[in-house]
C-alpha cells in the first residue's frame, strides 16, 4: 500500500484524507466482495525513526516524497468473521505509537427514498435479507478513519460508480463506524 509510485496517489491537503483515500484505493485494487479490513495509522516520520526496518519493508525510505505530517496505514490481521464489528472493535487497545485507525467495510445501502418502505418489527437478520432483495439497493465500500484527537474522515465508493473520481469524502458520512473506531482509543 505505502509503496505506490510517487505522484500517482490521491491528492489531498489533509493527511487523514490522504490516508483514507490511499486505503480506499488499496481496497479497490483488491476488488469487491472483500471482508472488512482494519488499519493502524502511524506517523510516517516517527515510524522511520523508531522502526526503520518496518519502514523499509513498507517502502518508506528516508528520502521519500511523503509530506510532513503524513500518516502510514498498516493493515492489521484479518478480522474474525463470526464476531459483529462493534463487539470486535470493543476488544481493541492500541499501543501509543498508533495515532489513529481506519477500517474498510462493504455494505448494502438503500437511498433515503426507500426508508419509508422498510417494514417495521424486523430483526437484524430479517432487515438484512429485506435490504438485499430491494431493487434500489446499492453496494458500497466505506473507508472510515479516526485519530486519537477526535479528527475523522470517510470515503464512500459505490460499486456501480467504481472509479476514483466518484469517491465521496467527508468527516460525517459514516458516523456509527467512526464512533466505534474512536471508542478503540477511549481510556477508562
Amino acid at each position: 500500500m505505502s509503496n505506490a509510485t510517487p505522484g500517482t496517489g490521491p491528492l489531498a491537503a489533509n493527511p487523514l484524507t490522504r490516508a483514507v483515500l490511499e486505503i480506499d484505493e488499496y481496497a479497490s485494487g483488491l476488488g469487491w466482495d472483500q471482508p472488512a479490513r482494519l488499519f493502524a495509522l502511524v506517523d510516517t516520520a516517527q515510524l522511520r525513526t523508531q522502526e526503520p526496518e518496518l519502514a523499509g519493508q513498507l517502502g518508506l525510505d528516508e528520502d521519500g516524497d511523503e509530506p510532513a505530517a503524513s500518516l502510514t496505514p498498516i493493515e492489521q490481521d484479518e478480522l474474525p468473521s463470526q464476531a459483529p464489528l462493534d463487539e470486535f472493535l470493543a476488544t481493541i487497545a492500541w499501543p501509543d505509537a498508533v495515532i489513529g485507525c481506519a477500517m474498510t467495510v462493504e455494505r448494502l445501502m438503500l437511498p433515503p427514498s426507500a426508508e419509508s418502505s422498510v417494514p417495521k418489527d424486523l430483526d437484524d437478520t430479517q432487515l438484512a435479507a429485506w435490504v438485499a432483495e430491494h431493487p434500489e439497493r446499492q453496494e458500497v465500500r466505506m473507508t472510515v478513519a479516526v485519530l486519537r484527537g477526535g479528527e475523522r474522515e470517510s470515503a464512500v465508493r459505490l460499486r456501480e460508480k467504481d472509479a476514483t473520481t466518484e469517491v465521496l469524502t467527508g468527516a460525517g458520512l459514516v458516523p456509527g463506524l467512526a464512533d466505534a473506531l474512536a471508542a478503540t482509543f477511549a481510556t477508562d
Side-chain angles (χ1 to χ4, degrees):
M1 226 172 51
S2 296
N3 53 2
T5 304
T8 61
L11 298 176
N14 180 312
L16 189 57
T17 304
R18 279 195 308 273
V20 164
L21 290 172
E22 181 181 344
I23 293 167
D24 171 75
E25 193 66 26
Y26 168 74
S28 175
L30 298 172
W32 287 87
D33 304 317
Q34 295 291 315
R37 296 178 186 279
L38 181 65
F39 300 82
L41 298 176
V42 298
D43 178 274
T44 303
Q46 188 175 4
L47 177 65
R48 281 189 190 121
T49 303
Q50 296 179 351
E51 297 286 343
E53 188 174 311
L54 177 58
Q57 290 172 0
L58 295 171
L60 301 171
D61 56 4
E62 283 299 323
D63 25 327
D65 290 338
E66 293 87 12
S70 70
L71 298 169
T72 296
I74 301 174
E75 187 169 0
Q76 304 301 290
D77 291 335
E78 191 171 311
L79 280 64
S81 57
Q82 301 84 350
L85 280 181
D86 57 342
E87 290 177 19
F88 169 72
L89 290 173
T91 67
I92 294 176
W94 296 104
D96 291 342
V98 174
I99 61 172
C101 65
M103 177 171 271
T104 62
V105 64
E106 295 178 13
R107 291 290 184 259
L108 292 175
M109 295 180 70
L110 294 177
S113 60
E115 288 179 19
S116 62
S117 65
V118 176
K120 305 294 182 234
D121 301 324
L122 295 180
D123 65 24
D124 289 344
T125 304
Q126 293 168 321
L127 179 60
W130 185 84
V131 170
E133 296 298 320
H134 196 282
E136 294 179 72
R137 74 186 179 281
Q138 299 215 10
E139 292 178 74
V140 299
R141 180 182 305 114
M142 302 172 286
T143 303
V144 179
V146 299
L147 296 180
R148 281 186 192 271
E151 189 178 351
R152 298 170 176 212
E153 186 61 79
S154 305
V156 176
R157 181 185 292 248
L158 299 173
R159 189 171 189 159
E160 72 177 30
K161 294 183 179 184
D162 192 4
T164 301
T165 57
E166 297 290 336
V167 174
L168 304 173
T169 59
L173 295 178
V174 192
L177 183 53
D179 289 345
L181 291 171
T184 66
F185 293 107
T187 55
D188 294 330

